[in-house]
Amino acid sequence: MKRILLVVLCFLTLPVAASHIVGGEFEIIHLEQSEYRVNLILYFDELNGNAGARDPNVTARIFRKRDNVFMTDIFLPISNQTPVTYTQPACSNGEIVTSKLIYANTITLSPTIYDDPQGYYIVWERCCRNYNITNVFSSDPQFGGAYAGQTFYLEFPPVVMNGQPFINSTPQLFPPLNDYACPNRPYYVDFAGSDIDGDSLVYSLATPLNTKSSDALPPSGPRPRPYPEISWRPPFNFRNVMGGTPDLKISDSGFITVTPTVSGLFVFAVKCEEFRNGIKIGEVRRDFQMLVLTSCPVAEPPQIKGKKLTDADYTYDNTMSVSFSNTVMDDSRCIEVQVSDADALKADQNFNEKIKIKAIPLGFKKDVTGILPEITEATLINGSTKEFRICFDACPLLNGPFQVGIVAYDDACSLPLSDTLKVTVNIEPPTNAKPFFTTPNVTALIQEGDNITWDIEAIDPDGDQLIVGLIPVGFSPQQAGMKFSIVHQENGKVSAKLVWDAKCDVYDFTKKTNFELWVIAEDVDGCNLANPAIMKFNLSIKLPGNFKPIIDSDLIPDDPQKREVRHSAKKLYDTFSFNVTGSDLDNDFIVLDVRGIGFDINAYDIKFDRVEGNGAVASQFNWSLDCKKIDLNKQDVFNLQFIVVDNVNKCRFNNRDTLDVIVKIEPALNTKPLLEIKSLVATIPMLNNAITTNLGNQIEMGLYGTDFDNIPTKDHIKIDLIDARGSVPPIGYIFASGEGDGFAETTFTWNPDCSIFLDNNFENDYRFTFRVFDNRCFNVMADTVAIDIIIKDVESNLTTFLPANIITPNGDNCNDYFAMEGIDAIPVGECVTQDADGIVRLPKDNCIRKFAFIRIYNRWGNKVFESNQRNFRWDAKGEPNGVYYYTLHFTDKEYKGSLTVRF
């Protein structure tokens, strides 16, 4: 084969965040005690990566799986860097240049810290992958592109489980994917790793994980899961990774196959799950990329044909079958295969082609390389062929027909093409007589307490060495009191015995009384083929009788067989009491106890003494249904299971009887509290919970709450104002909640001003709603009272206002001064009063009109008096008789009048 020129991908010079990631994975390897080595393996694209993106160290981070709690950071310096070579180095023309970088460090995973049963995960984020990927959106984020980073992710179990150290190393030694693929040509690679603990590894394809941001390295370090997935570029997706026919697949054992149809650079991810004893304990994700080139050399696969030694020609193309008796000599227990390759006739291949053969087991796992000749390679020249002899051992690889594949490979680029001849082989093994037992199978029922011995003898007619052993079916013989031993052994004969000491007070037969055992005798023949003799034991034990204990209660005196009591409802603050008894006719030691089904009895202050004794026991159940212990919103039906147990009898029967008492708890009875409201101002009466008053009169009410419940204690009550509304929202009132045990009181006070009137409306309606409520457990009751309040502005009328028009200040105490408010009444006869009651009054102040001042002028217009007091007095002292003029000023108008002064 000659090297050919292939298309070389362009080398891109990119910033530190540039494309460079090919793939990689984590490993955690146990060293000793709590010491582990953490490896991060990163595959770096030397063609498309910037040297500045080759990190000198990385910082990975461990989180707890259960709740994503941060555990620790791990500093991993670079420790090794090696090139990844081709399967066939001669095929390389620089299309793929990949380096394997290993970052490593030793850490301590303390068993006192890393003990969570759900395990942990280690993660590192790095951006970005190559920008020339075909099946994934991956472009430079610095120019607004859709970035594709990689999140390296591994899950690992706790280092201690069930109180015992749990030693584990994660899967490792994954081979890199180091070759390119060719369109319409099968591609294959063994992608499986290994596990030094012998754990089972299961492989599957997964969608590659992206990073949470386009930062080359997140400034705050790796973040907890979940992690975003990459975005597939249509038409590619998880089920159409490369557009192959068939598309990319991986077997459970990690073998990858694909037949690509288009060229490009394709990213994929493999998930490897780690199982121990059928339970998943870990997971590692491994990302990689595959290059598919269109300029692959044209190549034909080799052809392998077979023939029997007695055949003249190679007539078997894909399959053949051969049989050999045990009389055939070693050099005749063979077939011949012939390999040809059309490429050996091509001038561009210099008329030669290298080929080789391999042998693989089909449907079983064994090393079959021993059937190949010493020389397995050849160079075909000018269309020549090469013959190889395949010889089989006298001992068959399996006990019966088996199938092997003889595979011919050429040296095509980038991976060898192949052809397989499937050979079914049936080899008659050397003559060997099957061993047998001289003692018959045993079926026996024995009484408890017996000690029985069975003699066993196995013979091999050929005198071969015999290996005799006991196989129990689903139980441990030692725990059942059985002992198997070899009495005498010689070639061709073995004597043994099985002893059963069936004492139920020594061995536990409560779960199993029937036992099956196989005694196997296998001869050691030349081929080590399975040819066993089997002697079967079917053994049973008859145990002595034992009466079941009986439970009873005075809740069901008429029906002692009843095992469930649905008791009538109980109310909070009640006491629930009854007696429970247990009895045993064998007078065995019994124990009587109670448990809550679905709840913890200890949390509810339940009193029931656990009692024990021989034959008969009794205990009283008491439960004070305290509101502080019982939350009916969470649970109101309680299942109390009373149990009497007899488990210390001779055979340790776990006999028991149960009584389920199911009780529903209801809220306590409650008497509704009462609320009474009274006006505390005698001049402002309250009628039918309503008050009507004028502005300027202070409203004051007393509120009194009463509750008559007093078992187990007085209810605590509280008075609240729960609503206040009106034609204008009320403000300025004074109210504070009142509370107390059995009785509560408080007051409401309000003295509004003119600000309550808006839009020339001088009468407002209000409603204040008060409530008194108790704290009765889960049965709160309340009384609500609404008080209606009407507040009007003061009436002020100037039309009926008639001030005096003359005064006589002569000292006779009759009409001696000019006033409009607060004039003392003078008896009629001595003085003529100025109105019916002897008092002249100004119009009342209200929100529209208020008294401002009065000014009095003489006839020359000079001001002789001024006052801003409503109860002013002017006695005209020092002024002459005559007519005077006054102006009376209100906030909304002015009133004028005249006054005569006469001494």
Side-chain angles (χ1 to χ4, degrees), residues 21 29 148 151 155 165 235 508 540 716 812 900:
I21 297 176
I29 311 301
T151 294
E155 296 178 3
D508 186 1
S540 301
H716 187 81
D812 61 358
T900 299

Side-chain angles (χ1 to χ4, degrees), residues 178-200:
N178 50 356
D179 302 305
Y180 57 83
C182 303
N184 303 311
R185 187 181 296 180
Y187 182 91
Y188 54 90
V189 63
D190 187 356
F191 220 44
S194 63
D195 191 281
I196 61 176
D197 303 309
D199 296 327
S200 299

Side-chain angles (χ1 to χ4, degrees), residues 550-825:
I550 298 174
I551 196 168
D552 200 1
S553 166
D554 56 11
L555 289 174
I556 46 172
D558 299 329
D559 190 1
Q561 301 303 315
K562 193 172 184 179
R563 290 297 168 261
E564 180 178 292
V565 179
R566 291 192 174 271
H567 201 272
S568 57
K570 288 289 184 180
K571 298 187 183 300
L572 287 173
Y573 302 126
D574 286 350
T575 297
F576 189 27
S577 298
F578 54 91
N579 295 308
V580 183
T581 62
S583 60
D584 187 278
L585 294 178
D586 299 313
N587 203 37
D588 288 334
F589 183 83
I590 57 177
V591 177
L592 176 64
D593 206 350
V594 67
R595 65 179 179 178
I597 305 300
F599 70 98
D600 181 6
I601 278 185
N602 297 322
Y604 289 88
D605 201 22
I606 291 173
K607 307 297 184 185
F608 186 83
D609 291 334
R610 179 180 184 271
V611 291
E612 53 190 43
N614 287 88
V617 292
S619 186
Q620 187 178 58
F621 176 87
N622 287 287
W623 188 8
S624 295
L625 305 179
D626 188 354
C627 172
K628 296 178 181 178
K629 298 286 186 178
I630 302 173
D631 186 349
L632 296 184
N633 292 326
K634 294 181 179 179
Q635 185 173 357
D636 61 353
V637 176
F638 295 84
N639 186 354
L640 300 156
Q641 187 173 81
F642 297 87
I643 310 168
V644 60
V645 179
D646 165 21
N647 61 2
V648 293
N649 47 75
K650 176 184 178 183
C651 291
R652 294 179 290 180
F653 290 111
N654 192 357
N655 290 330
R656 62 182 56 211
D657 192 17
T658 61
L659 172 65
D660 287 273
V661 177
I662 301 171
V663 59
K664 179 177 175 61
I665 310 298
E666 295 181 344
L669 295 175
N670 189 16
T671 302
K672 175 182 174 181
L674 298 178
L675 178 61
E676 183 183 10
I677 303 178
K678 298 178 181 179
S679 174
L680 301 180
V681 181
T683 57
I684 306 178
M686 180 185 296
L687 299 175
N688 298 323
N689 292 334
I691 290 175
T692 300
T693 185
N694 290 328
L695 192 72
N697 297 326
Q698 178 168 295
I699 300 169
E700 188 171 357
M701 298 183 294
L703 294 89
Y704 310 95
T706 306
D707 192 290
F708 298 98
D709 293 312
N710 56 15
I711 297 176
T713 59
K714 292 182 178 180
D715 286 348
H716 187 81
I717 62 174
K718 185 178 182 182
I719 303 173
D720 274 340
L721 173 61
I722 62 174
D723 190 35
R725 62 181 63 190
S727 50
V728 174
I731 58 174
Y733 55 83
I734 299 172
F735 176 82
S737 298
E739 54 186 302
D741 293 332
F743 179 78
E745 64 177 320
T746 186
T747 58
F748 174 91
T749 304
W750 192 19
N751 191 5
D753 56 26
C754 289
S755 63
I756 69 171
F757 297 130
L758 300 176
D759 301 327
N760 294 318
N761 184 8
F762 296 97
E763 180 176 324
N764 288 355
D765 296 332
Y766 297 94
R767 170 163 284 191
F768 293 87
T769 303
F770 301 90
R771 181 181 66 178
V772 60
F773 62 95
D774 60 23
N775 68 335
R776 200 68 167 169
C777 197
F778 299 102
N779 190 16
V780 172
M781 300 193 75
D783 186 22
T784 302
V785 177
I787 303 297
D788 294 319
I789 299 177
I790 300 174
I791 299 178
K792 301 178 180 180
D793 199 2
V794 177
E795 293 186 3
S796 179
N797 193 347
L798 286 174
T799 61
T800 60
F801 172 55
L802 296 174
N805 58 7
I806 186 171
I807 61 172
T808 57
N810 55 9
D812 61 358
N813 293 323
C814 182
N815 205 20
D816 282 341
Y817 54 84
F818 178 55
M820 296 186 185
E821 189 166 291
I823 301 175
D824 295 334

Side-chain angles (χ1 to χ4, degrees), residues 66-347:
R66 173 168 52 85
D67 49 14
N68 292 324
V69 166
F70 166 75
M71 302 300 295
T72 189
D73 281 331
I74 303 173
F75 178 76
L76 302 172
I78 191 168
S79 64
N80 192 20
Q81 177 174 336
T82 55
V84 176
T85 59
Y86 278 70
T87 300
Q88 300 193 120
C91 291
S92 172
N93 229 13
E95 302 81 7
I96 302 175
V97 182
T98 304
S99 293
K100 178 179 180 180
L101 281 61
I102 298 180
Y103 299 85
N105 208 343
T106 299
I107 65 169
T108 299
L109 297 179
S110 169
T112 61
I113 298 175
Y114 291 89
D115 59 352
D116 191 274
Q118 295 187 32
Y120 304 83
Y121 63 95
I122 183 172
V123 65
W124 183 61
E125 298 177 72
R126 186 61 162 97
C127 197
C128 295
R129 302 177 192 258
N130 289 341
Y131 296 150
N132 53 345
I133 298 174
T134 304
N135 61 340
V136 168
F137 285 109
S138 178
S139 52
D140 193 340
Q142 298 185 42
F143 299 100
Y147 70 90
Q150 179 177 347
T151 294
F152 295 75
Y153 181 85
L154 177 144
E155 296 178 3
F156 62 95
V159 299
V160 61
M161 196 174 293
N162 298 323
Q164 299 297 320
F166 191 81
I167 305 301
N168 182 65
S169 295
T170 63
Q172 58 180 310
L173 301 179
F174 292 96
L177 190 149
N178 50 356
D179 302 305
Y180 57 83
C182 303
N184 303 311
R185 187 181 296 180
Y187 182 91
Y188 54 90
V189 63
D190 187 356
F191 220 44
S194 63
D195 191 281
I196 61 176
D197 303 309
D199 296 327
S200 299
L201 305 181
V202 178
Y203 299 85
S204 60
L205 293 178
T207 298
L209 296 179
N210 203 344
T211 49
K212 290 191 173 184
S213 74
S214 61
D215 296 320
L217 294 169
S220 58
R223 286 151 289 187
R225 60 183 189 179
Y227 302 104
E229 296 178 339
I230 53 85
S231 297
W232 296 102
R233 189 190 301 272
F236 304 103
N237 54 53
F238 174 66
R239 302 190 182 281
N240 182 34
V241 176
M242 298 179 61
T245 307
D247 198 48
L248 187 72
K249 295 181 180 179
I250 188 168
S251 69
D252 288 347
S253 58
F255 195 76
I256 288 179
T257 57
V258 64
T259 301
T261 58
V262 295
S263 62
L265 186 62
F266 300 90
V267 164
F268 66 95
V270 169
K271 180 169 64 176
C272 174
E273 297 173 284
E274 182 182 12
F275 292 84
R276 184 174 297 181
N277 298 324
I279 299 174
K280 181 178 176 179
I281 62 173
E283 170 186 315
V284 59
R285 297 178 68 104
R286 206 274 181 96
D287 284 19
F288 225 85
Q289 63 186 28
M290 183 185 298
L291 178 64
V292 181
L293 295 176
T294 57
S295 53
C296 295
V298 176
E300 299 291 338
Q303 185 179 29
I304 184 170
K305 291 184 177 182
K307 76 179 184 70
K308 301 176 183 177
L309 296 184
T310 56
D311 294 339
D313 299 316
Y314 291 92
T315 58
Y316 297 102
D317 192 358
N318 295 311
T319 62
M320 68 178 296
S321 298
V322 291
S323 295
F324 302 103
S325 71
N326 56 15
T327 60
V328 173
M329 304 297 293
D330 287 347
D331 58 356
S332 298
R333 200 180 304 108
C334 305
I335 64 170
E336 290 186 345
V337 296
Q338 181 188 73
V339 180
S340 62
D341 195 309
D343 290 332
L345 293 170
K346 295 179 181 179

